[in-house]
Amino acid sequence: MSRLGHFITFEGGEGAGKSTQVARLVERLRALGLEALATREPGGTPNAEALRKVLLEGLEEKLSPASEAMIFSAARVDHLDKLIRPALSRGAYVICDRFADSTRAYQGGALTQSFIDQLEQLAVGDNMPDLTFILDLPAEEGLARADARRGNGKADRFESEAIEFHRGLRTAFLTIAEKNPQRCVVIDARRSVDDIAQDIWSCVETRFIGEPR
Ligand code: TYD
């Protein structure tokens, strides 16, 4: 792929503050006159947003982990084809709230390593992010934040999973970071929004823009 731009993803469990940090990063890049777009998964294109509805709220019966992983991946292929790759090839920064690591963490626990590796290879291939921030915090804290944010709204398919599932997610994301040290940066998400944003900015600036000023 001809990639002139930069592909940056945010990952982590529930309530880690990813969407706030995506917005902050996009704002800082745009302030420098750079083209930056914020997107999310599942979603980012009309078809992928339709699949998001099905995945998070639309089903009578739970899907099997394999079919769920395949639908997340199908949404990802559409997102890559129609939005991410075109933006990267014209030189934009693409900042995405969740990507393939979420499939590995959320669905992978119930699948074999080989299934998830092959699925990722088919759906994403060499379109993996240049940089991934893993916003890390204890599962209990994240869920409490997600509850507070939701108010009286209904918990979605994943928020309503048991605490053990959410603890497992944290471990899964940290394992992904360990296995991909060039791509992944673990961020302590228990700190203030400003402190986290500053760490993220220093990292982006060093890698892609120049030495920190
Ligand atoms: P969202 O409301 O965006 O949650 P969050 O604010 O925590 O990011 O919903 C996305 C949900 O979908 C989230 O619970 C994680 C889950 N998910 C997967 O299980 N697999 C995936 O591949 C992706 C992209 C998301």
Side-chain angles (χ1 to χ4, degrees), residues 3-81:
R3 183 185 290 189
L4 293 173
H6 302 285
F7 184 22
I8 302 174
T9 57
F10 282 75
E11 297 280 6
E14 307 295 320
K18 292 176 286 79
S19 45
T20 306
Q21 295 300 332
V22 166
R24 287 284 192 108
L25 178 55
V26 165
E27 214 175 275
R28 281 198 93 149
L29 290 163
R30 287 184 183 159
L32 294 180
L34 298 163
E35 186 191 354
L37 60 95
T39 186
R40 68 169 180 183
E41 289 210 347
T45 61
N47 287 340
E49 290 289 336
L51 292 173
R52 175 187 177 93
K53 260 189 137 15
V54 168
L55 285 162
L56 300 186
E57 52 188 274
L59 292 171
E60 296 289 317
E61 225 187 315
K62 249 190 185 179
L63 287 163
S64 72
S67 69
E68 195 170 70
M70 288 168 112
I71 299 174
F72 275 110
S73 302
R76 183 161 304 130
V77 171
D78 194 68
H79 192 202
L80 275 166
D81 285 350

Side-chain angles (χ1 to χ4, degrees), residues 19-150:
S19 45
T20 306
Q21 295 300 332
V22 166
R24 287 284 192 108
L25 178 55
V26 165
E27 214 175 275
R28 281 198 93 149
L29 290 163
R30 287 184 183 159
L32 294 180
L34 298 163
E35 186 191 354
L37 60 95
T39 186
R40 68 169 180 183
E41 289 210 347
T45 61
N47 287 340
E49 290 289 336
L51 292 173
R52 175 187 177 93
K53 260 189 137 15
V54 168
L55 285 162
L56 300 186
E57 52 188 274
L59 292 171
E60 296 289 317
E61 225 187 315
K62 249 190 185 179
L63 287 163
S64 72
S67 69
E68 195 170 70
M70 288 168 112
I71 299 174
F72 275 110
S73 302
R76 183 161 304 130
V77 171
D78 194 68
H79 192 202
L80 275 166
D81 285 350
K82 300 198 182 117
L83 189 139
I84 299 175
R85 274 191 288 115
L88 291 175
S89 56
R90 65 174 188 266
Y93 279 82
V94 176
I95 317 298
C96 190
D97 186 341
R98 297 194 183 281
F99 192 65
D101 296 324
S102 279
T103 307
R104 198 171 274 278
Y106 279 76
Q107 283 70 50
L111 298 166
T112 64
Q113 180 81 23
S114 141
F115 184 97
I116 205 84
D117 287 347
Q118 288 185 63
L119 187 60
E120 185 177 284
Q121 180 54 36
L122 283 171
V124 181
D126 62 0
N127 298 298
M128 282 302 275
D130 299 301
L131 176 61
T132 297
F133 291 108
I134 295 189
L135 269 50
D136 177 58
L137 84 172
E140 290 78 359
E141 275 183 53
L143 285 176
R145 287 194 200 174
D147 279 351
R149 178 180 65 191
R150 199 171 53 243

